[in-house]
Amino acid sequence: MSIKRWIYLFIFCVFNPLINLLPFCWIDVFYDNLSYIGNTLGHPVYLILWACISAFGFYDLSLRCWQKTLFPFKKRLHHIICISMVLSCMIPYVPQSSVWIQDLHVWLAILSVGAFVLEWLTYFGWKKDLVFWEKVLLTSFAFSFLCLCIPGHITASTEISFSAFVNLILVNVAFSKRHATIEP
């Protein structure tokens, strides 16, 4: 196994899950969201680190998967989507500001994550014959959506499950040997 694969496995199978466990020590993950940790509890470094690690996995591992299959994705759009995920965590929640500014970080996160999932759904539509880990990835999207729908709002449990599960699965998709190419 290559050193690069070991580094990715460490980052997304050890480090990312550990970062995603910290909120369980600070908040009720089934009620509060991670921006509460960064803005109210005063841990913005944690929030930005979590966003950077998560978005890096979404960005880089997706590119690795799509390039193996010759999927005709829009690299610039994918880049903007993943940067928007990080930017959404950098916009502070300020209750004294206008309502649209208060909710900007939430809507930017929703749009960027939604666009990321849409990119993958487009890939699944092109490929049609999914390998095991791609089916698991599709299931994890459904699970994260369910985590969003049950409480009726974005909670840390939704954010944590999406970050940890999707990156963990993407590592397996990116480094699996079975990839059928897609002809544009």
Side-chain angles (χ1 to χ4, degrees):
M1 192 179 311
S2 71
I3 189 74
K4 185 178 253 185
R5 184 172 181 184
W6 278 109
I7 291 169
Y8 275 89
L9 287 173
F10 175 77
I11 291 170
F12 298 110
C13 297
V14 177
F15 188 65
N16 189 37
L18 287 175
I19 283 180
N20 280 297
L21 287 176
L22 281 176
F24 287 92
C25 301
W26 292 326
I27 61 172
D28 176 1
V29 296
F30 300 104
Y31 179 76
D32 296 316
N33 58 35
L34 294 183
S35 64
Y36 179 76
I37 292 173
N39 295 313
T40 305
L41 298 182
H43 299 291
V45 173
Y46 165 79
L47 182 62
I48 293 169
L49 177 65
W50 173 84
C52 289
I53 293 290
S54 299
F56 171 71
F58 300 153
Y59 177 76
D60 190 66
L61 295 170
S62 294
L63 288 181
R64 289 176 179 280
C65 298
W66 297 337
Q67 288 169 344
K68 282 183 180 181
T69 58
L70 305 177
F71 174 60
F73 63 95
K74 307 275 190 248
K75 189 172 184 177
R76 185 172 300 210
L77 177 62
H78 183 63
H79 188 75
I80 291 168
I81 288 168
C82 293
I83 286 176
S84 296
M85 291 178 190
V86 176
L87 290 176
S88 71
C89 291
M90 294 178 160
I91 299 171
Y93 174 77
V94 182
Q96 298 81 13
S97 63
S98 302
V99 174
W100 73 272
I101 292 176
Q102 292 176 22
D103 292 341
L104 183 61
H105 73 283
V106 174
W107 285 108
L108 185 58
I110 290 170
L111 289 173
S112 57
V113 171
F116 174 76
V117 171
L118 189 59
E119 284 180 307
W120 272 98
L121 292 177
T122 303
Y123 169 80
F124 295 147
W126 271 83
K127 188 163 182 203
K128 292 182 180 57
D129 184 29
L130 305 179
V131 296
F132 173 77
W133 284 110
E134 291 168 338
K135 292 175 186 174
V136 173
L137 180 60
L138 185 57
T139 304
S140 75
F141 289 153
F143 175 77
S144 293
F145 184 71
L146 185 64
C147 288
L148 172 69
C149 290
I150 289 174
H153 62 96
I154 297 172
T155 63
S157 62
T158 304
E159 296 167 315
I160 288 167
S161 66
F162 193 81
S163 169
F165 293 150
V166 170
N167 276 319
L168 193 62
I169 295 163
L170 281 176
V171 165
N172 287 292
V173 174
F175 290 102
S176 71
K177 301 293 183 205
R178 290 188 56 213
H179 286 285
T181 59
I182 300 169
E183 295 300 327

